[in-house]
Amino acid sequence: MPWSYRFFHFLASFTTFVMAGAQCRTEISIPGMALDGFVFKRMSVTAPHQCDFSCEREVTCQSYNYVIGEKICELNNRTKEARPENFRSDPARFYKRRFVGR
């Protein structure tokens, strides 16, 4: 079997594995809500999905708020489950928990 075919086969198997695993876990955003008091980093983005990537790269990040009109990610070091008393209504934001566990 040629090297390039083996590499392609390996890559296809890996991609299938990752995709299959991702289908088992989902996180949804909660519009009109935000976790207050646990922001450790704010950043401007061009699209909300960039917050997912930023949160995954930060070890401290457990969730984030997205400021809709300003296109800003607020990375949190806690979740709404850990601090339900700080989970508040905020029509300018949506909240999302980190997709991959810590």
Side-chain angles (χ1 to χ4, degrees):
M1 182 177 333
W3 178 86
S4 60
Y5 181 78
R6 282 184 289 180
F7 179 75
F8 177 76
H9 186 266
F10 167 77
L11 188 59
S13 298
F14 179 75
T15 303
T16 302
F17 172 75
V18 170
M19 290 174 65
Q23 290 175 355
C24 296
R25 297 182 305 244
T26 59
E27 276 302 325
I28 58 167
S29 62
I30 303 173
M33 297 296 286
L35 188 63
D36 187 31
F38 297 97
V39 174
F40 71 91
K41 191 175 200 177
R42 288 174 53 95
M43 66 192 71
S44 294
V45 294
T46 56
H49 71 273
Q50 292 175 316
C51 300
D52 288 314
F53 299 128
S54 296
C55 191
E56 294 304 319
R57 285 192 298 258
E58 295 277 349
V59 174
T60 307
C61 187
Q62 294 184 23
S63 66
Y64 66 85
N65 307 314
Y66 179 73
V67 187
I68 299 163
E70 299 176 35
K71 295 184 179 180
I72 292 177
C73 296
E74 298 175 332
L75 304 184
N76 299 314
N77 59 9
R78 295 290 183 274
T79 63
K80 68 179 180 68
E81 289 79 14
R83 297 289 192 253
E85 66 277 7
N86 291 79
F87 193 54
R88 306 216 170 105
S89 175
D90 188 335
R93 289 172 167 75
F94 73 73
Y95 168 87
K96 192 169 181 186
R97 193 172 64 179
R98 182 177 176 153
F99 183 69
V100 176
R102 292 173 24 98

